[in-house]
Amino acid sequence: MTSMTSLNKVVDLAEKRRDAALSALAQQQREMAMAQAQLDQLESYSAEAQQRWAGRTGVQLDASLLHHHRHFMDKIRHAVEFQRSVIGNKQAQIDRCQIAVHAAERDVAGLKKYVERQLSAQELSRRKREQKDTDEMAMNVYLRQMRANSEGARP
């Protein structure tokens, strides 16, 4: 296996690692969107419940009904706070995934640059060999011509 084949395999592996990191980031972002939608839904439901409760002004309220309402609103507040912590955790996961994506992209770019330099070096080496071969051929032709001229010039 040539060194370029090995390098290309390393680049392929780095690209697969980057693609996996991008996929993980996309998954975390989808989960974040779902968590945010749940939070929005909980906050909307909480606001509606408060509005309905506020609309009961002037109505005689039973102490147990007031107790149930407060208990219910506490549960909703707890659910909202829990969902906010879920979103905070999701954001931390997204941040880690973004760091992994940047590292993987940096690795791929570095490897591709290295491969490019190796190819350039090989191309330069090939051109130098060709130039050397051409120079040697030209020198041999010149020497043959000089010998032929010197042999033909003798009386």
Side-chain angles (χ1 to χ4, degrees):
M1 184 180 328
T2 68
S3 65
M4 287 310 293
T5 304
S6 296
L7 279 174
N8 286 332
K9 285 186 179 189
V10 170
V11 170
D12 287 343
L13 288 172
E15 287 174 337
K16 286 178 184 173
R17 194 179 119 227
R18 180 209 47 212
D19 293 346
L22 284 168
S23 178
L25 175 60
Q27 177 64 31
Q28 291 300 322
Q29 289 172 330
R30 283 189 298 274
E31 289 177 14
M32 171 66 122
M34 289 179 358
Q36 185 62 51
Q38 287 177 335
L39 176 62
D40 294 345
Q41 190 177 29
L42 282 168
E43 287 176 335
S44 173
Y45 187 66
S46 175
E48 286 176 26
Q50 276 303 112
Q51 267 185 325
R52 281 194 308 268
W53 185 257
R56 293 181 171 205
T57 55
V59 176
Q60 279 267 310
L61 297 175
D62 181 316
S64 71
L65 184 60
L66 181 59
H67 173 73
H68 287 297
H69 174 72
R70 285 184 181 157
H71 183 66
F72 175 72
M73 292 308 293
D74 284 344
K75 283 188 175 197
I76 290 178
R77 273 190 289 279
H78 176 72
V80 165
E81 290 307 313
F82 176 79
Q83 197 61 28
R84 284 187 180 140
S85 73
V86 167
I87 287 174
N89 290 336
K90 281 291 159 202
Q91 186 59 55
Q93 289 173 334
I94 286 172
D95 293 343
R96 285 191 296 274
C97 285
Q98 286 174 330
I99 289 168
V101 165
H102 292 310
E105 286 177 340
R106 189 176 52 246
D107 290 348
V108 168
L111 286 167
K112 284 184 175 183
K113 188 68 171 175
Y114 180 73
V115 166
E116 182 182 306
R117 285 187 199 135
Q118 290 297 103
L119 288 172
S120 293
Q122 286 177 356
E123 178 63 21
L124 180 62
S125 180
R126 184 191 62 77
R127 277 193 250 134
K128 284 182 178 181
R129 271 192 318 275
E130 286 177 357
Q131 184 64 45
K132 181 183 171 203
D133 292 345
T134 303
D135 290 348
E136 285 176 1
M137 239 188 320
M139 181 59 83
N140 288 335
V141 167
Y142 174 75
L143 290 174
R144 272 190 247 134
Q145 285 177 349
M146 292 301 286
R147 272 190 231 127
N149 287 343
S150 67
E151 290 174 4
R154 288 189 196 164

